[in-house]
């Protein structure tokens, strides 16, 4: 989709459809257009056909009285309750409306309605995010009736003389971030037969064409010698494992490292998952995909520190060469792990990723992983648990997530929980003692903590990486949760 900022009064823009926001009991903002339309807007409000309630819509044919052929009124709800997230949702809603009308082009002035404590730049960015994320569709594999698939080709954003430059800039940043998120969705939605560790490595190579990004990929032989966790999980699969290390601004001293779980398919291994729980397990590289999305936009964020992205990636399969319950692994840190359950494989590959992160002497390490089904039990699909050993780091992640509406909720990591992952015969065990399921999110984090000596935070996207239904700007299946969050976090990182 092309985007265009247009310097025009709403009534003068030559467009198929113009989207306008209307607050409940507020017609001041649209007075001018209303009088040009012989009060048809205020009349619909008077007749209670449209009252500006949040998510209400009303279509008006303008009959040549103003330049736009049609006007879509969108209810913004109560002025004091309106915020950037509501704007994202309404942007998606109106874009989908335009698409369903089979329009190829439409225009919006939704961002001009004022939101308390926000700048016009933030509103334009939110408009772009909602629009591009809301229009996402994954139809790469469709071959039948493809001519019936609807696409918007051109989106016009209105601006005025005083805001033109900043509008253009905000359009660009919203677009970059939303497209990165859609790229993550594509990777996660892609079938595991295609999105293999080798495929993720080839994507990393593409990204590393940027002159400020270096890339190192550890191959199977070296992985076998160094990264026992990753090697052991991957050895049941016909796909070769990879340890991918992306390195942005490699010459800067201050360093922050991200680690992303890249299980391209999680069958559970010999502790095979039941079919119902296996279907969506192509999503188990969601953390890795977020890092690829992040690195694809990093050069545009203008950061003056080093950012490293570590992606341990392999496939978890049952076979004659697969790891067994009871096996003991020596990891990169030399610590040993007793495998109790082969389905708790994410933490095994992350153990190597986290210890490798320490070697860069970073000021912070953040891992992101579809680590537990328990994350869905605690928070459902609307927020991700965050756990860490450094409160300042956790707080700044939570703050970034509040801004982008990729919400994080902190869980504790008290000593009693760490006791649960101690093994009788090795250093740690890969699921907690007793039933194995109590406090699943926390004990998984307790395991990870044993493999980091840095300021560290862990984000469990087991619940937020995949959405079983479609709402607002989130389509069903892959969500791309995490990219905008990390970009926002980095922008503010000191
Ligand atoms: N990849 C799964 C976690 C998962 C489940 C992510 C559902 C997204 C949706 C992970 O490897 C796993 O299987 N974890 C187990 C851990 C258990 C064996 C302690 C789980 O959550 O059941
Ligand atoms: Zn698993
Ligand atoms: Zn997994």
């Amino acid at each position: 989709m092309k985007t265009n900022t247009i310097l025009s009064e709403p009534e003068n823009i030559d467009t198929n459809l113009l989207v306008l926001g209307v607050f409940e009991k507020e017609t001041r903002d649209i007075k001018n257009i209303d009088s040009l339309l012989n009060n048809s807007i205020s009349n619909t409000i008077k007749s209670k056909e449209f009252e500006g309630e949040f998510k209400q819509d009303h279509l008006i044919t303008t009959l040549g009285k103003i330049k736009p052929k049609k006007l879509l009124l969108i209810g913004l709800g109560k002025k004091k309750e309106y915020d950037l997230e509501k704007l994202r949702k309404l942007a998606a809603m109106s874009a989908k409306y335009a698409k369903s009308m089979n329009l190829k082009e439409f225009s919006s002035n939704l961002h001009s309605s004022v939101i308390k404590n926000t700048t016009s730049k933030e509103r334009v960015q939110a408009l772009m995010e909602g629009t591009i994320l809301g229009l996402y569709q994954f139809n790469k594999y469709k071959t039948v009736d493809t001519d019936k698939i609807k696409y918007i080709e051109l989106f016009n954003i209105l601006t005025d003389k005083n805001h033109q430059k900043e509008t253009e800039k905000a359009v660009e940043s919203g677009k970059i971030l939303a497209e990165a998120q859609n790229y993550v969705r594509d990777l996660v939605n892609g079938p595991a037969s295609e999105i293999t560790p080798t495929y993720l490595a080839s994507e990393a190579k593409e990204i590393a064409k940027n002159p400020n990004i270096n890339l190192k990929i550890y191959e199977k032989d070296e992985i076998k010698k160094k990264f026992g966790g990753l090697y052991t999980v991957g050895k049941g699969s016909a796909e070769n494992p990879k340890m991918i290390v992306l390195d942005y601004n490699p010459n800067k001293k201050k360093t922050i490292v991200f680690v992303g779980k890249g299980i391209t398919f999680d069958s559970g291994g010999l502790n095979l998952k039941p079919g119902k729980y296996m279907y969506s397990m192509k999503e188990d590289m969601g953390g890795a995909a977020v890092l690829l999305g992040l690195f694809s936009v990093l050069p545009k964020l203008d950061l003056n520190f080093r950012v490293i992205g570590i992606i341990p990636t392999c496939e978890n399969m049952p076979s004659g060469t697969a790891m067994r319950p009871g096996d003991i692994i020596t990891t990169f840190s030399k610590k040993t792990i007793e495998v109790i359950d082969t389905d708790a494989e994410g933490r095994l590959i992350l153990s190597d990723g986290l210890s490798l992160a320490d070697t860069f002497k970073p000021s912070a390490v953040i891992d992101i992983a579809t680590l537990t089904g328990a994350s869905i039990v605690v928070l459902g699909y609307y927020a991700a648990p965050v756990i860490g050993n450094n409160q300042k780091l956790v707080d700044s992640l939570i703050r970034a997530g509040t801004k982008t509406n990729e919400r994080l909720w902190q869980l504790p990591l008290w000593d009693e929980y760490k006791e649960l992952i101690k093994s009788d015969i090795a250093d740690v065990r890969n699921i907690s003692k007793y039933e194995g399921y109590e406090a699943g999110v926390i004990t998984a984090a307790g395991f990870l903590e044993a493999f980091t000596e840095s300021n560290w935070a862990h984000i469990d996207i087991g619940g937020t990486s995949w959405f079983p239904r479609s709402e607002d700007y989130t389509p069903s299946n892959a969500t791309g949760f995490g990219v905008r969050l990390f970009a926002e976090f980095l922008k503010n990182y000191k």
Side-chain angles (χ1 to χ4, degrees), residues 261 263 265-268 273 281 284 316 343-347 370-372:
K261 173 176 172 183
I263 296 291
F265 188 72
D266 182 11
S267 68
K273 283 183 187 292
M281 280 301 125
D284 216 16
N316 187 23
D343 197 11
E345 84 299 335
R347 58 199 81 181
T370 47
L371 203 62
T372 67

Side-chain angles (χ1 to χ4, degrees), residues 269-284:
L270 289 175
N271 292 103
L272 202 63
K273 283 183 187 292
K276 186 176 151 221
Y277 295 103
M278 204 192 291
Y279 166 72
S280 72
M281 280 301 125
K282 63 178 181 183
E283 71 158 304
D284 216 16

Side-chain angles (χ1 to χ4, degrees), residues 379-384 405-407 463-464 467 469 471 481:
L379 294 173
Y381 299 100
Y382 296 114
N405 211 65
E406 290 155 296
R407 288 175 292 200
T464 54
F467 198 47
R469 44 189 185 264
E471 270 172 29
F481 181 103

Side-chain angles (χ1 to χ4, degrees), residues 330-348:
T330 301
T331 60
F332 184 63
S333 67
K334 301 284 177 268
K335 282 191 181 170
T336 56
I337 304 170
E338 183 187 6
V339 177
I340 310 289
D341 189 319
T342 64
D343 197 11
E345 84 299 335
R347 58 199 81 181
L348 302 179

Side-chain angles (χ1 to χ4, degrees), residues 373-414:
S375 62
I376 307 174
V377 179
V378 264
L379 294 173
Y381 299 100
Y382 296 114
V386 59
I387 291 174
N389 62 10
N390 180 289
Q391 196 54 42
K392 240 180 94 185
L393 178 62
V394 170
D395 285 341
S396 46
L397 284 164
I398 293 174
R399 222 174 300 125
T402 305
K403 195 101 192 261
T404 64
N405 211 65
E406 290 155 296
R407 288 175 292 200
L408 302 179
W409 195 261
Q410 187 176 10
L411 294 179
L413 185 50
W414 292 309

Side-chain angles (χ1 to χ4, degrees), residues 311-358:
I311 301 175
T313 173
C314 68
E315 193 180 35
N316 187 23
M317 295 296 252
S319 79
T321 59
M323 68 171 157
R324 314 157 190 86
D327 283 354
I328 294 177
I329 305 171
T330 301
T331 60
F332 184 63
S333 67
K334 301 284 177 268
K335 282 191 181 170
T336 56
I337 304 170
E338 183 187 6
V339 177
I340 310 289
D341 189 319
T342 64
D343 197 11
E345 84 299 335
R347 58 199 81 181
L348 302 179
I349 70 169
L350 289 173
S351 71
D352 287 329
L354 288 168
S355 310
L356 179 61
D358 280 349

